[in-house]
């Protein structure tokens, strides 16, 4: 499962390239299929490879674009001296520019985990470019912080660790990156067979080589991303396109109404709970691909 870039696993049948999206930033991207475009954004601690099953399915009748996000995988990892390089606004702009460079002014967009936060920001900032939007197993940034309270917040300890000022989080995670990133690959997966050894190894390698940028991505979600979301709420900016959200039933576990939280951001919403683990595109790819196909008909 090698891509055309040596040493980087890829999606069979997809071509792989590096595309310049802004000055000094290139994204690694896998592209396959023909038809209306769908962009798929990966989550933490993964790369575009997490979409391998869903992408192959959708490529039967869509052009499927799977980038590594800025700061992840084989994409560029800029320094972040002022806390803005990994704002979801900047990462969303990367995605819109990538699609445009590949010849698509308008496209459907789906994101998982961190990629879902980038997708939501793209939908808010670029509503004329994003035709449909899917978010897998996250809450909007403001809501995420609001629901993590008391002892239940322990499930999100990594959010608080990586929200700390530069220095300590990078040092702690960098001292044992495979233990840190592997922890999430293990506890968030209900079906271990969904992450074969070679794929798991690829995720760990990519993550250990990107500790500063991954931390910067998370740190932005405790800072500048919150500011941007609050401004949208105050200004009445909402997701105008059809939105599908797939989530585990975290609301029941942590005591909140996930669909209601999402509906405040997405008036045209379909919210569904799933029975698999967090890495649903790998554990239940048929269910995810089916939900995306239904979204594209709305």
């Amino acid at each position: 499962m090698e891509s055309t870039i040596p040493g980087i696993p890829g999606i069979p049948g997809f071509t792989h390239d590096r595309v310049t999206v802004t000055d000094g930033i290139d994204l690694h991207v896998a592209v396959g299929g023909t038809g209306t475009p769908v962009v798929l954004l990966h989550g933490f601690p993964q790369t575009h490879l997490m979409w391998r099953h869903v992408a192959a399915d959708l490529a039967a009748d869509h052009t499927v674009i799977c980038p590594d996000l800025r700061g992840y995988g084989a994409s560029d990892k800029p320094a972040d001296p002022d806390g803005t390089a990994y704002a979801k606004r900047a990462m969303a702009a990367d995605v819109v520019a990538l699609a445009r460079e590949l010849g698509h002014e308008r496209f459907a967009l789906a994101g998982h985990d961190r990629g879902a936060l980038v997708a939501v920001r793209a939908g808010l900032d670029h509503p004329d470019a994003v035709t449909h939007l899917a978010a897998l197993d996250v809450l909007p940034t403001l809501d995420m912080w609001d629901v993590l309270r008391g002892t239940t917040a322990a499930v999100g300890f990594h959010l608080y660790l990586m929200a700390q000022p530069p220095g300590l989080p990078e040092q702690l995670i960098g001292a044992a990156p495979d233990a840190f990133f592997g922890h999430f690959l293990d506890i968030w997966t209900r079906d271990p067979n969904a992450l074969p050894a070679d794929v798991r190894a690829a995720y760990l390698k990519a993550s250990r080589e990107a500790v500063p940028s991954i931390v910067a991505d998370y740190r932005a979600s405790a800072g500048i991303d919150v500011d941007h979301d609050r401004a949208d709420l105050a200004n009445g900016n909402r997701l105008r396109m059809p939105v599908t959200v797939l989530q585990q039933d975290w609301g029941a576990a942590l005591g909140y109404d996930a669909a209601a939280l999402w509906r405040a951001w997405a008036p045209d919403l379909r919210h569904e709970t799933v029975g698999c683990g967090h890495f649903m595109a790998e554990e239940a790819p048929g269910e995810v691909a089916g939900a995306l196909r239904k979204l594209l008909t709305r």
Side-chain angles (χ1 to χ4, degrees):
M1 195 188 300
E2 288 293 314
S3 76
T4 54
I5 300 178
I8 298 173
I11 303 172
F14 277 51
T15 61
H16 294 254
D17 202 357
R18 288 177 61 82
V19 177
T20 299
V21 293
T22 189
D23 290 345
I25 305 293
D26 289 1
L27 298 188
H28 169 241
V29 61
V31 181
T34 57
T36 55
V38 180
V39 180
L40 305 176
L41 306 180
H42 67 85
F44 162 93
Q46 298 176 293
T47 68
H48 77 282
L49 187 60
M50 63 151 284
W51 290 108
R52 60 195 179 279
H53 306 305
V54 174
D57 184 322
L58 295 179
D61 44 17
H62 294 280
T63 299
V64 183
I65 300 166
C66 302
D68 289 336
L69 294 168
R70 172 192 296 219
Y72 288 81
S75 290
D76 285 347
K77 304 169 180 64
D80 187 33
D82 60 0
T84 64
Y86 293 91
K88 302 307 155 292
R89 175 158 288 162
M91 297 171 79
D94 287 348
V95 173
V96 174
L98 171 66
R100 186 175 296 122
E101 287 296 319
L102 294 175
H104 308 290
E105 294 292 332
R106 289 168 55 78
F107 54 91
L109 181 59
H112 173 258
D113 190 87
R114 308 304 294 172
L117 301 181
V118 176
V120 168
R121 177 45 56 191
L124 292 168
D125 285 359
H126 306 276
D128 294 335
V130 179
T131 62
H132 302 77
L133 192 147
L136 277 57
D137 220 28
V138 295
L139 288 174
T141 301
L142 282 178
D143 300 297
M144 173 189 70
W145 290 114
D146 285 344
V147 303
L148 289 175
R149 298 181 180 277
T151 57
T152 59
V155 301
F157 80 93
H158 59 301
L159 300 170
Y160 293 90
L161 171 61
M162 290 191 275
Q164 303 310 307
L168 184 61
E170 292 87 344
Q171 183 178 357
L172 293 177
I173 297 168
D178 284 8
F180 180 76
F181 297 115
H183 169 78
F184 301 103
L185 293 174
D186 293 338
I187 67 167
W188 289 348
T189 306
R190 294 189 185 179
D191 177 11
N193 294 322
L195 300 180
D198 62 334
V199 171
R200 189 178 191 278
Y203 292 155
L204 291 178
K205 180 179 186 295
S207 296
R208 85 172 72 98
E209 294 175 352
V211 171
S213 52
I214 291 175
V215 173
D217 169 29
Y218 273 85
R219 186 177 290 121
S221 287
I224 192 169
D225 294 342
V226 170
D227 295 338
H228 292 159
D229 283 6
R230 284 178 176 156
D232 281 323
L233 279 182
N235 295 329
N237 189 22
R238 300 294 184 271
L239 296 167
R240 304 177 196 169
M241 65 291 299
V243 175
T244 289
V245 173
L246 302 179
Q247 290 188 286
Q248 298 178 86
D249 200 2
W250 285 109
L254 300 178
Y256 62 86
D257 185 340
L261 294 177
W262 270 106
R263 196 165 288 111
W265 291 92
D268 185 358
L269 174 71
R270 290 187 184 175
H271 186 280
E272 302 176 21
T273 55
V274 298
C276 59
H278 179 63
F279 301 114
M280 58 185 69
E282 290 163 294
E283 296 188 53
E287 184 176 355
V288 171
L292 296 182
R293 289 185 181 281
K294 290 179 182 176
L295 169 65
L296 294 172
T297 65
R298 285 162 58 193

